[in-house]
Amino acid sequence: MCDMDRPQITKIEQGKVSATLDTIQKISDALHIEISLLFSYKKELHPFVKWAGGKTHH
């Protein structure tokens, strides 16, 4: 939909390559969303190591 090959999109998603503003515009147009929404993602981090006593640290 954005006239890019899948491996290139995968590399962008994984942070292996940077996207140009033109590429970001193509992706937002294909998804029918504003560019700003591509940068507003917030990932909630969870601890992956348990602390002493078996309790997770928050």
Side-chain angles (χ1 to χ4, degrees):
M1 291 172 50
C2 62
D3 195 32
M4 296 176 61
D5 61 351
R6 186 171 294 214
Q8 184 67 15
I9 292 173
T10 300
K11 288 178 187 175
I12 293 169
E13 291 173 335
Q14 294 174 345
K16 293 181 179 179
V17 298
S18 297
T20 64
L21 185 55
D22 184 51
T23 298
I24 294 167
Q25 183 68 56
K26 287 179 182 180
I27 293 169
S28 70
D29 288 347
L31 295 173
H32 304 290
I33 61 172
E34 296 291 325
I35 288 177
S36 60
L37 289 175
L38 294 173
F39 296 96
S40 64
Y41 176 75
K42 293 181 183 176
K43 183 176 180 179
E44 186 175 328
L45 300 176
H46 297 282
F48 59 92
V49 175
K50 289 193 174 193
W51 294 89
K55 296 180 181 178
T56 58
H57 180 343
H58 293 280

